[in-house]
Amino acid sequence: MSVPSSAIESVLIENRVFPPSDAMVKCARISGMAAYNALCAQAGGDYEGFWATLARENLAWSKPFTKTLDESNAPFYKWFEDGELNASANCLDRHMGTPVENKTAIIFEADDGAVAKVTYKELLARVGQFANALKARGVKKGDRVILYMPMTVEGVIAMQACARLGAIHSVVFGGFSAKALQERIVNIGAVAVITANVQMRGGRAMPLKAVVDEALALGGCEAVKTVLVYQRTKDACNMVAGRDLTFEQALAGQSTTCAPVPVSAEHPLFVLYTSGSTGQPKGVVHCTGGYLLWAKLTMDWTFDLKPEDVFWCTADIGWITGHTYVAYGPLAAGGTQIMFEGVPTYPDAGRFWQMIERHKCSVFYTAPTAVRSLIKASEADPKVHPKRFDLSSLRILGSVGEPINPEAWVWYYKNVGGERCPIVDTWWQTETGGHMINPLPGVTALVPGSCTLPLPGLMISIVDEMGHEMPNGSGGMLVIKRPWPSMVRTIWNDPERFKKSYFPEELGGKTYLAGDGAVRSTGEATNGADRGYFRITGRIDDVLNVSGHRMGTMEIESALAAKSDLVAEAAVVGRPDDLTGEAICAFVVLKGGRPTGDEAVRIANELRNWIAKEIGPIAKPKDIRFGDNLPKTRSGKIMRRLLRSIAKGEPITQDVSTLENPQILKQLAEKL
Ligand code: PRX
């Protein structure tokens, strides 16, 4: 555990400040800094009481909890444990008999532009029917169900149906390979897989069921007794008798009424795999009560969601953002949301703006990579510039997944938000369940590139390796000092790794280590307006963030090493990229010696395709460099900081005296 130089480098001083408008302060749920401070003080005075009140106010409990927080087995914290509830009932049944019942829950826009709307009442019936279909196949409370689905309403229905039965879902992003899917199926011991024949993206149909078949054939998946297939298109796909059913077959004759199964607040709602610093992805476990509280609460706090809002989070349900801000949060809050199947650049790069105009979207939440790529596209083609569209329905913008650079922030603010919409730059992680550090629309003066202040109640700070608090202006490691309701509960099948990864002994074993570097502002450049604001400086571990997708360097290294007929050794690092935030750069030593010219290009492509098969296309390295060896110390340790410099194209200024083979640096600096 160490703070890399990137975390302590002083960041560019940003002096632009955008205070909230009077109108926004007036209408917001948390209105003004005094109200924010009052909530923080309340939590500071009675931490458990603060969360208990919110949990009672925001969730419907079938059995009320009597104990708020159990710290007796720290860091395995428990929240509201003796209370019972059902997540699906909180998202759907709860709205029946209220004005939300006939409200549109989801405006679905397909890849080809077809639009379908589903009301809360209809959604409840479809979820109930799907839950009955799962039940008929023997799926019950505690069983694990893998989803490998497109971004369609059916994906949300399947997640909600699992939750209704108390079954634990684990969604695998549709871009992961058969091998990655199989590893997750095996790790979690899934009894069923829910998928579709294909997914539609950018006018193309891409197979999903065929990948599931391939995954199941890789072995170790004997527990899977059922595969349910949504026929997204009429295209036929292979069906295995006795195991596979289309949705139509599975739903036939099933009642639309299915009583939700009450579960303990600590019953796992889902497991979502994410990358860490070893080769094996971590199954992050989230539990029903605390997670759902967070999903609902942050819809209210961060997005200040109003009954008339049309909310749109562009994230795929295969990522945590799509869990909290597509599948659960908007429904728990009784909101209307847009769900989009396709990609932002099809049929052209004006798609997002056109959809905001068409559906009168008022709260829009996307990733900096999408913003950056749309800036580039609108510079190349004025027809797709957001100014060409009527975006007057927007009132709040959001950013998630990676740092947003001030240039992209300002462009987003001006051209999409018309200089009227606050941008909530939300820092959080798969492990935190939902937003942690971000502006509140009616409270926070915005500073481009800063995620500003923690949500009320959260005890977040920046420390050095010894756990000492860093003063403003000095970078360090981001930590969360007190447990919070939506925190990761454990790593599936690996509690030891949970402790080691997030609650290191060096910090006392009870402080959550986020894995990010951060610095708080001194406020000097803004006359104190942003004093204490947080700015994230990037990961402090071997995790990369490519287009907002989390990738472990070790995962990619293991995939390369598995190509054992070709690869002798490989090291993977990240380097900054204007578009994707970070790009993957692989340094490879081949068994057959260092290739050059066309052969090097051919082998690099072969390795890229191999990685796409092992992990998924998102893990393909942008750069591959070949060497006779890797830079190593005399004790054989690969010097990654040198590789990072080479990847960036920087001259080597570091001390290389401990290097066994300094001549290798020049060779690795050569691009293909
Ligand atoms: O490095 C931080 C970055 O994304 C990581 C979490 O990735 P993941 O678990 O995939 O969740 C992404 C969706 C929340 C963090 O450790 N990150 C996320 N949001 C921001 C961010 N970095 C800077 N600013 C953000 N707003």
Side-chain angles (χ1 to χ4, degrees):
M1 191 175 60
S2 67
V3 188
S5 56
S6 64
I8 40 186
E9 266 167 25
S10 63
V11 285
L12 276 179
I13 303 298
E14 177 60 63
N15 59 12
R16 287 167 288 192
V17 181
F18 300 80
S21 69
D22 291 346
M24 192 59 84
V25 175
K26 215 162 153 198
C27 80
R29 229 179 234 95
I30 304 182
S31 170
M33 192 49 93
Y36 167 83
N37 285 333
L39 286 171
C40 296
Q42 245 180 51
D46 176 10
Y47 194 68
E48 289 189 33
F50 179 73
W51 297 119
T53 304
L54 288 168
R56 288 188 186 107
E57 283 171 3
N58 283 281
L59 298 178
W61 297 85
S62 43
K63 178 176 164 234
F65 59 91
T66 60
K67 191 164 168 34
T68 303
L69 171 63
D70 178 356
E71 302 188 71
S72 60
N73 190 26
F76 299 95
Y77 298 101
K78 291 185 169 140
W79 285 89
F80 321 121
E81 193 189 7
D82 64 347
E84 287 183 0
L85 76 170
N86 180 281
S88 158
N90 267 277
C91 292
L92 301 169
D93 309 55
R94 195 179 181 192
H95 304 305
M96 297 305 114
T98 79
V100 176
E101 182 179 89
N102 292 311
K103 182 175 173 174
T104 300
I106 301 178
I107 303 169
F108 172 69
E109 183 162 319
D111 189 53
D112 66 4
V115 174
K117 295 186 180 176
V118 191
T119 67
Y120 273 89
K121 203 173 186 174
E122 289 160 355
L123 194 61
L124 172 62
R126 289 178 65 182
V127 168
Q129 194 178 32
F130 201 88
N132 281 329
L134 286 173
K135 224 196 278 188
R137 298 292 296 191
V139 175
K140 57 183 188 315
K141 181 179 164 187
D143 283 348
R144 276 84 60 204
V145 177
I146 288 269
L147 269 71
Y148 191 63
M149 289 289 282
M151 262 302 277
T152 55
V153 177
E154 286 69 18
V156 171
I157 290 175
M159 291 164 84
Q160 286 280 341
C162 289
R164 202 161 183 84
L165 299 177
I168 303 162
H169 61 69
S170 186
V171 186
V172 178
F173 174 61
F176 277 115
S177 69
K179 172 116 186 302
L181 177 60
Q182 178 248 7
E183 282 166 4
R184 287 155 177 77
I185 293 172
V186 172
N187 185 272
I188 208 160
V191 299
V193 178
I194 305 174
T195 187
N197 61 340
V198 294
Q199 59 180 340
M200 297 300 303
R201 288 171 72 81
R204 289 193 304 148
M206 287 178 303
L208 287 177
K209 173 61 164 59
V211 182
V212 170
D213 286 343
E214 202 185 325
L216 295 177
L218 288 173
C221 307
E222 291 69 31
V224 175
K225 299 288 180 249
T226 301
V227 178
L228 298 183
V229 186
Y230 166 49
Q231 286 285 148
R232 170 63 187 85
T233 61
K234 292 202 168 70
D235 300 329
C237 62
N238 173 48
M239 297 293 280
V240 175
R243 187 195 72 183
D244 304 355
L245 289 177
T246 63
F247 272 27
E248 209 182 330
Q249 291 165 335
L251 294 171
Q254 294 296 345
S255 155
T256 53
T257 313
C258 173
V261 175
V263 298
S264 154
E266 281 296 315
H267 182 69
L269 178 61
F270 64 85
V271 176
L272 187 59
Y273 287 85
T274 190
S275 297
S277 11
T278 72
Q280 208 56 38
K282 308 189 260 202
V284 169
V285 178
H286 278 292
C287 290
T288 309
Y291 171 81
L292 203 66
L293 170 63
W294 217 257
K296 162 72 167 62
L297 201 58
T298 49
M299 289 301 299
D300 287 350
W301 281 358
T302 305
F303 297 122
D304 193 40
L305 200 80
K306 301 279 199 275
E308 58 281 8
D309 271 320
V310 175
F311 176 78
W312 183 13
C313 165
T314 65
D316 192 283
I317 51 166
W319 308 113
I320 189 69
T321 310
H323 279 59
T324 312
Y325 300 108
V326 178
Y328 290 105
L331 299 177
T336 294
Q337 70 171 318
I338 299 169
M339 204 178 163
F340 176 44
E341 180 182 41
V343 296
T345 48
Y346 177 82
D348 63 38
R351 185 72 184 262
F352 275 3
W353 323 133
Q354 188 206 24
M355 283 182 61
I356 290 171
E357 178 179 301
R358 183 191 301 183
H359 302 301
K360 303 218 169 354
C361 171
S362 57
V363 182
F364 179 64
Y365 190 38
T366 197
T369 289
V371 174
R372 285 191 295 263
S373 75
L374 297 177
I375 294 175
K376 215 171 148 186
S378 66
E379 279 166 359
D381 177 7
K383 282 202 302 299
V384 299
H385 195 283
K387 285 203 162 149
R388 292 289 184 93
F389 299 82
D390 177 6
L391 306 181
S392 58
S393 56
L394 287 170
R395 61 180 206 97
I396 293 173
L397 299 176
S399 172
V400 59
E402 45 178 333
I404 180 161
N405 46 312
E407 304 73 56
W409 193 102
V410 169
W411 185 91
Y412 192 31
Y413 184 76
K414 280 193 175 153
N415 296 293
V416 183
E419 299 185 46
R420 118 193 133 257
C421 308
I423 298 179
V424 289
D425 174 3
T426 58
W427 176 85
W428 58 294
Q429 311 175 295
T430 304
E431 293 86 343
T432 69
H435 302 153
M436 301 301 278
I437 311 180
N438 54 265
L440 301 178
V443 172
T444 326
L446 309 169
V447 171
S450 168
C451 54
T452 76
L453 297 170
L455 290 180
L458 296 176
M459 311 290 175
I460 305 190
S461 57
I462 298 173
V463 300
D464 65 12
E465 280 105 338
M466 308 298 294
H468 301 129
E469 298 253 342
M470 302 305 286
N472 290 350
S474 302
M477 309 186 296
L478 192 69
V479 296
I480 308 175
K481 293 187 293 185
R482 293 280 280 137
W484 67 101
S486 64
M487 66 195 297
V488 49
R489 293 304 196 267
T490 187
I491 292 175
W492 187 262
N493 272 342
D494 205 346
E496 274 312 305
R497 190 172 174 197
F498 168 76
K499 282 208 278 195
K500 247 179 83 186
S501 310
Y502 305 119
F503 296 93
E505 283 303 322
E506 296 92 315
L507 298 179
K510 290 184 180 178
T511 296
Y512 175 83
L513 178 70
D516 277 310
V519 60
R520 297 184 77 163
S521 171
T522 59
E524 259 168 53
T526 59
N527 282 329
D530 72 340
R531 185 170 302 124
Y533 275 19
F534 288 76
R535 187 186 295 268
I536 306 299
T537 50
R539 298 288 305 191
I540 56 168
D541 53 12
D542 296 319
V543 170
L544 306 182
N545 193 324
V546 183
S547 303
H549 297 152
R550 213 162 128 174
M551 302 293 333
T553 53
M554 295 274 277
E555 248 173 291
I556 307 169
E557 285 170 14
S558 315
L560 283 166
K563 183 96 184 109
S564 53
D565 54 331
L566 270 180
V567 176
E569 202 175 13
V572 171
V573 298
R575 67 160 166 77
D577 185 278
D578 284 349
L579 205 59
T580 57
E582 270 187 301
I584 302 167
C585 189
F587 295 89
V588 182
V589 181
L590 294 181
K591 284 188 169 155
R594 182 170 182 260
T596 52
D598 287 350
E599 200 202 355
V601 173
R602 185 185 60 74
I603 297 179
N605 282 336
E606 189 178 341
L607 293 178
R608 280 198 187 91
N609 292 337
W610 170 262
I611 290 171
K613 249 187 121 46
E614 286 284 292
I615 305 173
I618 51 172
K620 279 186 182 181
K622 190 158 183 181
D623 269 6
I624 295 188
R625 312 271 179 95
F626 294 106
D628 292 320
N629 206 334
L630 297 173
K632 287 182 188 154
T633 60
R634 292 197 181 93
S635 58
K637 196 169 172 290
I638 297 172
M639 294 190 71
R640 285 167 185 280
R641 62 185 171 84
L642 294 179
L643 291 177
R644 279 187 211 108
S645 295
I646 295 174
K648 274 194 208 167
E650 285 175 353
I652 303 287
T653 52
Q654 295 106 320
D655 177 17
V656 294
S657 59
T658 54
L659 208 59
E660 194 183 49
N661 49 352
Q663 74 290 351
I664 208 72
L665 299 176
K666 196 162 163 268
Q667 198 181 58
L668 292 171
E670 278 172 33
K671 286 192 178 167
L672 287 192

